[in-house]
Amino acid sequence: MNTEITGIILMYAAVVAMAIPLGKYIGKVFSNEKTWLDKIFNPADKVFFKLSGINPLKEMNWKQHLVALLTINLIWFLLCMFVLMNMSWLPLNPDSNASMSADLAFNTSISFISNTNLQHYSGETGMSYLGQLVVMLFQFISAGCGIAIAAVVFFAMKETTAGKLGNFYFLFVRSCTRILFPIALVVSILLLFNGVPMTFDGKDPITNLQGDTVQISRGPVAAFVAIKQIGTNGGGFFGPNSAHPLENPSYFTNIIETISLFLIPIAMVFALGYVLKRRKLAWTIFSVMTIGFLLLLIPTVINEMNGNPAIAKMGIAQPMGSMEGKEVRFGSAASAYWAINTTVTSNGSVNAMHDSLTPLSGMNALLGMMVNCFYGGVGVGFLNFYIFIILAVFISGLMVGRTPEFLGKKIEAREMKIAMIIALLHPLLILAGTAIASYLYAHSPVAYAGWLNNPGYHGFSEMLYEFTSSSANNGSGFEGLGDNTPFWNIACGIVMLLARFLPIIGPVSIAGILANKKYIPESAGTLKTDTATFGLMVFAVIAIVAALSFFPALVLGPIAEYFSIY
Amino acid sequence: MKENIFPAIRLTVICLLFFSGIYTLIVWGVAQFSTNAGKGEIIKQDNKIYYANVGQKFTNDNYFYSRPSAVAYNAAGAGGSNKGPSNPDYLKDVQARIDTFLVHNPGINKSDIPSDLVTASGSGLDPHISVQAANVQVKRIAKIRGIAEGNLQQLIISNTEKPLLGFLGTERINLLKLNIALDNLK
């Protein structure tokens, strides 16, 4: 068999094999059960809580959880703005990089607190090492925040919670110290010993073998890359992210980074099964997500390995497939695999340039973000899926003429209204944003000429991708887009902000409302939610919502481009 | 909200110390035991230092060519071309690269040129080329350097990096190592 294909099969098998035990471990961490890391982290957590004056055992209801989450995120935003706008005079700046402008700092700060990590700057020139270390903090805590809030929803789904949903700070600190930190440490050390730098020295000027003088950017890369992959963050140390040979030097590091990218999103599904003691429900959800993932993955791998037809017409060979924007050490298959992994999970790191993907691969990357719940980001991916479950329960309930119930709780008008608002928010942000950008560009193409790196349908895709990535809190980009302008910085900043916090507030309030309702024991008349039929129903709801909302935009972009070159 | 502000500020400061500070120091400390103390793997040749993983620009006819790069292999600010597959200007560029290659490599069939040699990588610093991309240049280099083609083919074989464990990923050649070996051949 082709060694590129065996590579991606191994990566998937390995990640599932690791995610199942990790899911159980995460479930134990949430439920405060004993784990083998307690010896180290029980004292560590005590220090965290004591120094911050928090009583981690104080129970919170869903509203208190949301207030705590939003307050701490506001603090993070202010801290990030301060550092990014003052980097030039703060320490750890060996390359004397400048501070950010206000609009770029606004975009970057929201980008990092919202776990998007969209980057309108380039790491080598736009960040000091202090800036990098501070945004690295957000890669931990924004991910920890997402995991903590998913745990709250898990608790709310239990049969008898009586409104007790744990303590936000308790869940948040444990997610950071016991889940993200140990994995990041192991991954960073593995990367370190395989060629990823970890130094505070600045750029190194060298003369090449052929005599050209160049500079080599370095930095504390290994620590940064590990958490960027683990926390579905995706903000790269260097401009080209994990395509950069110092950020991802070999096929082996690529395997480690790809597995890291996918690990916690899958493990969260199994954590749900553990917390609720409903393993079958977890497997049903996992199956729906996996089918969706494979439907996006397989055509993408085939398209990339077949190459670009416009180049085939020139009469040269494409033994490695479409190689524009790709690295030889990864090849087309592993690049296509990463592209779909990173878009379905809201990670947003890249190991090949998405702008140069063949049209249908670009479309599948877009679809991964439009659906945004085939595994999804750490924590929040499940929240998105939860909305689709609620919709599917309601629709199936109507179809068979029964009161819609989910896990013994009646779904009524109020929950449905919230679910619909959240389900429609994502298309609204993407399509309205793209429409405004297209209008501006179409009406003054000269003034905005710097925006697009490619003409025609592909140019439209660049704008569509940017808003989709912002709204999915993904952070990858069709990087040809000239996006460091006040319009893109502010527009994407607002989209990321709304798309992060409303889809947290919505599902948490639904789950909180449901938790306070009376539990109706299962009977013969109950709609079973852990069956293949229900799985199919959820899949249909996802497909219809995504397809109907986004199909017209996809036709104008990638599909039109496809027909122009095939 | 009010009861949350001060705990939130204090917790943020502690997280900053732990995740930006302690975590970084642990990894940096371990790095001191890795190759070249975490400053990047290097190759020494004639008292000059090169980075093994960072690709270099090779455009002279007496070396194996590197892939095209959107940033001319300057690792001060890496990046790809971000050209879409249907972009007419981009396709013209690729066609021009093919034509140039044919001029510099007479007697080569167009259908033997692999696409990695005429397309830019994602980082603009790709340290590798495919095996086909090396083979297609043997004729030119043999003529310029006066080395037998068989010796060059041997050099390519000994510099080919097999897929990981023999069955994972791509076969490739680290171009800098190949060209250093080429210089050492004389």
Side-chain angles (χ1 to χ4, degrees):
Chain A
M1 198 189 246
N2 183 314
T3 53
E4 289 196 45
I5 302 282
T6 48
I8 62 176
I9 293 173
L10 174 106
M11 283 191 263
Y12 188 72
V15 78
V16 174
M18 286 186 224
I20 294 172
L22 179 66
K24 194 174 164 192
Y25 170 78
I26 294 177
K28 284 184 176 175
V29 169
F30 288 165
S31 318
N32 200 11
E33 292 169 27
K34 272 193 182 146
T35 66
W36 59 279
L37 285 173
D38 284 351
K39 276 202 183 108
I40 311 166
F41 288 113
N42 278 348
D45 287 358
K46 257 186 208 144
V47 174
F48 270 80
F49 293 126
K50 197 163 176 213
L51 291 181
S52 43
I54 287 167
N55 173 10
L57 301 175
K58 193 183 146 218
E59 288 283 341
M60 293 180 169
N61 62 29
W62 65 270
K63 283 180 192 159
Q64 290 167 321
H65 272 287
L66 288 177
V67 171
L69 179 143
L70 294 174
T71 310
I72 202 164
N73 272 278
L74 179 67
I75 309 277
W76 294 348
F77 172 74
L78 296 174
L79 169 68
C80 198
M81 282 294 280
F82 172 77
V83 173
L84 296 179
M85 291 183 69
N86 293 285
M87 286 185 298
S88 60
W89 60 270
L90 288 167
L92 289 181
N93 190 7
D95 296 329
S96 306
N97 288 336
S99 300
M100 285 188 182
S101 64
D103 56 311
L104 181 58
F106 168 77
N107 182 285
T108 310
S109 301
I110 290 182
S111 174
F112 277 83
I113 63 163
S114 67
N115 198 250
T116 310
N117 312 67
L118 188 75
Q119 294 166 297
H120 287 181
Y121 63 90
S122 203
E124 296 96 318
T125 50
M127 274 281 191
S128 71
Y129 290 166
L130 181 79
Q132 297 277 26
L133 292 181
V134 169
V135 298
M136 185 174 81
L137 165 73
F138 294 106
Q139 310 220 29
F140 275 101
I141 57 186
S142 69
C145 188
I147 298 176
I149 209 69
V152 174
V153 173
F154 290 179
F155 291 151
M157 287 163 74
K158 282 187 172 177
E159 287 166 16
T160 46
T161 48
K164 287 191 173 175
L165 304 173
N167 180 287
F168 175 76
Y169 300 110
F170 177 79
L171 291 168
F172 163 70
V173 170
R174 286 170 76 91
S175 302
C176 292
T177 55
R178 291 170 198 235
I179 301 172
L180 297 169
F181 173 71
I183 305 177
L185 196 60
V186 172
V187 170
S188 60
I189 289 170
L190 279 171
L191 293 176
L192 193 60
F193 283 98
N194 285 283
V196 180
M198 182 71 199
T199 173
F200 288 94
D201 292 359
K203 289 188 171 76
D204 187 11
I206 64 162
T207 308
N208 277 353
L209 189 59
Q210 201 182 260
D212 308 304
T213 316
V214 297
Q215 290 187 313
I216 311 283
S217 288
R218 297 173 296 176
V221 188
F224 192 96
V225 173
I227 185 60
K228 138 196 132 173
Q229 295 301 93
I230 288 294
T232 61
N233 296 288
F237 192 93
F238 299 112
N241 213 296
S242 277
H244 195 292
L246 291 179
E247 196 156 330
N248 192 1
S250 66
Y251 198 82
F252 179 68
T253 58
N254 190 59
I255 291 179
I256 296 173
E257 290 183 18
T258 312
I259 289 175
S260 307
L261 183 169
F262 226 23
L263 186 59
I264 295 183
I266 298 182
M268 286 302 284
V269 180
F270 294 107
L272 167 87
Y274 186 83
V275 171
L276 296 185
K277 307 281 173 248
R278 287 175 185 270
R279 288 184 58 198
K280 212 177 151 202
L281 178 68
W283 279 101
T284 309
I285 294 174
F286 175 74
S287 310
V288 173
M289 290 175 165
T290 303
I291 291 168
F293 165 68
L294 291 177
L295 285 176
L296 295 175
L297 175 72
I298 294 168
T300 306
V301 171
I302 294 173
N303 269 300
E304 292 309 300
M305 290 185 80
N306 281 344
N308 179 353
I311 288 185
K313 277 181 203 140
M314 297 174 190
I316 63 167
Q318 298 192 76
M320 295 196 72
S322 172
M323 285 307 285
E324 184 69 34
K326 294 198 184 66
E327 305 282 306
V328 169
R329 63 191 178 284
F330 310 140
S332 295
S335 301
Y337 182 71
W338 182 308
I340 296 302
N341 274 213
T342 196
T343 45
V344 296
T345 60
S346 106
N347 185 301
S349 62
V350 296
N351 75 347
M353 294 300 117
H354 287 196
D355 215 344
S356 301
L357 292 174
T358 56
L360 292 188
S361 306
M363 180 179 80
N364 288 343
L366 278 163
L367 273 171
M369 297 187 288
M370 286 164 173
V371 171
N372 205 20
C373 68
F374 291 149
Y375 307 119
V378 291
V380 290
F382 176 75
L383 300 192
N384 295 331
F385 198 85
Y386 182 75
I387 292 291
F388 286 117
I389 292 179
I390 299 292
L391 293 182
V393 164
F394 187 76
I395 293 169
S396 341
L398 292 185
M399 282 164 74
V400 293
R402 287 191 191 126
T403 321
E405 288 167 15
F406 179 51
L407 303 182
K409 303 293 172 78
K410 266 189 201 158
I411 312 264
E412 289 168 302
R414 196 166 156 213
E415 296 84 82
M416 279 311 296
K417 278 182 202 157
I418 301 173
M420 277 319 296
I421 290 172
I422 301 303
L424 292 177
L425 176 76
H426 192 48
L428 175 75
L429 291 175
I430 294 172
L431 298 174
T434 313
I436 293 169
S438 304
Y439 176 86
L440 290 175
Y441 185 82
H443 280 258
S444 31
V446 181
Y448 298 111
W451 278 10
L452 302 185
N453 193 35
N454 291 286
Y457 311 122
H458 196 87
F460 175 78
S461 301
E462 284 182 335
M463 295 190 282
L464 177 65
Y465 196 103
E466 191 71 5
F467 277 107
T468 308
S469 174
S470 301
S471 183
N473 285 169
N474 184 281
S476 63
F478 271 17
E479 291 297 339
L481 185 75
D483 50 18
N484 185 11
T485 65
F487 172 81
W488 287 104
N489 284 337
I490 293 167
C492 292
I494 293 169
V495 169
M496 288 187 283
L497 191 65
L498 295 174
R500 169 71 171 181
F501 293 104
L502 294 181
I504 285 179
I505 295 171
V508 170
S509 50
I510 294 176
I513 294 168
L514 290 184
N516 286 329
K517 289 190 181 178
K518 222 181 99 201
Y519 178 72
I520 309 157
E522 275 189 27
S523 67
T526 308
L527 174 78
K528 292 252 190 314
T529 47
D530 54 4
T531 59
T533 320
F534 185 72
L536 196 69
M537 194 66 203
V538 177
F539 188 84
V541 169
I542 293 173
I544 290 166
V545 169
L548 287 186
S549 325
F550 296 110
F551 189 66
L554 292 173
V555 167
L556 289 176
I559 295 179
E561 189 187 12
Y562 173 85
F563 285 112
S564 73
I565 59 172
Y566 277 85
Chain B
M1 176 114 186
K2 214 166 136 197
E3 59 187 286
N4 282 303
I5 286 184
F6 290 104
I9 293 175
R10 284 157 74 177
L11 185 57
T12 304
V13 172
I14 295 159
C15 286
L16 183 67
L17 293 176
F18 188 78
F19 294 112
S20 296
I22 294 176
Y23 165 70
T24 312
L25 284 177
I26 295 174
V27 182
W28 182 81
V30 177
Q32 305 314 308
F33 299 98
S34 73
T35 341
N36 195 24
K39 294 178 183 176
E41 285 175 18
I42 54 172
I43 301 178
K44 278 190 183 155
Q45 163 81 358
D46 299 337
N47 294 324
K48 280 165 77 182
I49 285 175
Y50 307 117
Y51 285 81
N53 292 319
V54 180
Q56 298 192 358
K57 184 169 84 174
F58 289 103
T59 44
N60 292 353
D61 281 350
N62 59 343
Y63 283 119
F64 287 96
Y65 296 153
S66 52
R67 299 182 63 190
S69 162
V71 296
Y73 284 93
N74 190 349
S81 73
N82 289 308
K83 296 294 183 193
S86 62
N87 184 332
D89 291 336
Y90 158 69
L91 294 171
K92 262 182 224 153
D93 284 348
V94 175
Q95 185 65 58
R97 288 172 194 152
I98 297 172
D99 295 340
T100 312
F101 186 87
L102 288 172
V103 171
H104 288 256
N105 294 269
I108 295 291
N109 283 330
K110 209 203 271 185
S111 59
D112 289 333
I113 305 174
S115 61
D116 61 302
L117 213 46
V118 291
T119 52
S121 65
S123 62
L125 303 173
D126 195 340
H128 297 99
I129 57 172
S130 66
V131 181
Q132 292 94 323
N135 283 329
V136 78
Q137 304 185 52
V138 163
K139 213 171 191 176
R140 179 190 81 235
I141 291 172
K143 201 172 160 196
I144 290 179
R145 294 209 174 214
I147 301 171
E149 288 188 18
N151 291 355
L152 288 177
Q153 270 146 6
Q154 203 54 48
L155 195 71
I156 289 173
I157 291 168
S158 59
N159 276 283
T160 300
E161 295 171 14
K162 291 281 169 205
L164 186 65
L165 304 175
F167 68 100
L168 301 170
T170 58
E171 200 174 53
R172 64 215 171 267
I173 291 172
N174 184 310
L175 186 62
L176 177 62
K177 290 180 185 167
L178 178 70
N179 278 329
I180 288 176
L182 182 65
D183 271 350
N184 292 342
L185 209 59
K186 283 179 250 178

